[in-house]
């Protein structure tokens, strides 16, 4: 298993649980089985919980774009009401996306990497 995480926006700011972000995953992540992503709490370093549930997205539950890429959204509310590719964050909490790649193929880091996480307007 291979793990990656991104604690900052491209400008170096920490991720804010009250904002909406998009992360574009290019097509063809080099994994034999599947990938998954969840939001983790910066303070406890455990999955971020809003007091109700944990929510992540996997290769099996995501809705890919026509080219096989996937746009993931992280924020307190889903964009346009769509929850398929959305991971809930909590306003007032710092967080980071934590990826798991099950049975990564070699060379993992040279072949593929997720895009940068960027803030988007609601």
């Amino acid at each position: 298993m291979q793990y990656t995480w991104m604690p900052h926006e491209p400008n170096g700011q920490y991720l804010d649980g009250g904002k909406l972000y998009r992360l574009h995953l290019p097509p063809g992540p080099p994994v034999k089985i599947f990938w998954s992503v969840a939001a983790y709490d910066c303070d406890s370093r455990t999955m971020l919980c809003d007091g109700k549930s944990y929510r992540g997205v996997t290769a099996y539950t995501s809705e890919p774009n026509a080219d096989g890429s996937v746009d993931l959204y992280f924020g307190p509310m889903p964009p346009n009401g769509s929850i398929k590719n959305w991971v809930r964050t909590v306003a007032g909490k710092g967080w980071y996306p934590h990826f798991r790649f099950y049975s990564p193929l070699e060379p993992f880091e040279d072949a593929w990497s997720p895009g940068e996480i960027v803030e988007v307007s609601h």
Side-chain angles (χ1 to χ4, degrees):
M1 192 173 326
Q2 178 81 33
Y3 300 97
T4 64
W5 59 287
M6 300 162 209
H8 302 99
E9 295 179 35
N11 64 9
Q13 295 292 317
Y14 285 103
L15 300 170
D16 179 339
K19 296 180 180 179
L20 179 64
Y21 295 92
R22 180 179 64 87
L23 177 62
H24 180 77
L25 302 180
V31 294
K32 186 174 182 179
I33 301 177
F34 72 99
W35 58 264
S36 70
V37 64
Y40 270 63
D41 185 317
C42 288
D43 294 327
S44 67
R45 294 185 180 90
T46 60
M47 286 181 71
L48 186 63
C49 183
D50 64 356
K52 300 173 193 164
S53 64
Y54 298 101
R55 176 161 170 69
V57 175
T58 72
Y60 299 125
T61 62
S62 67
E63 186 173 303
N65 300 318
D67 67 355
S69 66
V70 176
D71 290 316
L72 298 172
Y73 293 90
F74 301 86
M77 300 295 293
N80 303 320
S82 173
I83 65 168
K84 199 77 163 167
N85 292 2
W86 169 67
V87 176
R88 182 189 312 271
T89 61
V90 178
K93 295 286 285 179
W95 67 279
Y96 58 92
H98 190 273
F99 280 91
R100 290 181 178 89
F101 297 93
Y102 294 85
S103 294
L105 303 172
E106 297 294 332
F108 183 83
E109 293 172 355
D110 294 335
W112 182 93
S113 70
E116 291 184 337
I117 191 162
V118 294
E119 184 181 350
V120 295
S121 60
H122 291 267

